[in-house]
Amino acid sequence: MSQLPSTNLIPALLTDAAIYKDGVGMLGVGSIEMPDFEFMSESIAGLGIAGEVDAPVVGHMKSMTVKIKWNTCNPTATSLLAPEAHQLEIYASVQAYDAGSGIYEHQPVKVVIRCPPKKVGIGKMEPGKKMEPETELEVYYLKLWQNGQEMAEVDKFNYLFSVLGVDYLARVRANLGKDY
């Protein structure tokens, strides 16, 4: 059987991930629900349009939240209760199957977010069970890399929205006199 070229990489699953605050010290053990990218939009209808469309506002995202469900309460996770923007770094490894070579590859994923707290829970108390406290944070800034490539960056306060290296708010910043 001949080996096919290594071209058909199939992303399969998340091998594991870890969350750090300010680049040091793993925060705890649990799971994280990452935010969705959802554009603000406005319904457009009128003369010259055959119906109605929801037009996305380029670079303007609706509220973005990240939710972390911990196994138990812990001091490091509780520190996210401080009313300030925290910088969290999520490092992950995505397993992909190379259909050409038949080998599994592991690609790095990194997400950096700046986020103040919205809600911090203590969890439930039941003997022999996880407490499952949940922390919910509002995302002001997010940058995503996969396999070393910048994928997306959102900075709501600095008018930055970039996808695969294209800054879709550059012209808007210039128009507003914010081109710094």
Side-chain angles (χ1 to χ4, degrees), residues 35-46:
D36 291 330
F37 294 98
E38 184 179 357
F39 289 99
M40 295 174 59
S41 64
E42 182 65 28
S43 187
I44 308 294

Side-chain angles (χ1 to χ4, degrees), residues 45-129:
L47 300 174
I49 299 175
E52 181 179 303
V53 296
D54 275 347
V57 182
V58 174
H60 288 62
M61 296 288 139
K62 289 187 175 185
S63 175
M64 299 169 69
T65 59
V66 62
K67 294 179 183 176
I68 306 168
K69 187 175 280 190
W70 310 99
N71 285 353
T72 63
C73 58
N74 67 71
T76 312
T78 304
S79 72
L80 297 176
L81 183 57
E84 60 190 36
H86 303 281
Q87 180 163 312
L88 302 181
E89 296 172 15
I90 298 100
Y91 290 88
S93 185
V94 170
Q95 179 177 303
Y97 178 71
D98 187 325
S101 68
I103 297 172
Y104 287 105
E105 293 186 16
H106 298 276
Q107 299 180 336
V109 173
K110 180 181 177 184
V111 180
V112 173
I113 55 178
R114 273 188 231 116
C115 46
K118 286 181 73 170
K119 180 173 75 171
V120 177
I122 297 171
K124 60 186 177 191
M125 294 192 179
E126 186 178 343
K129 302 287 183 181

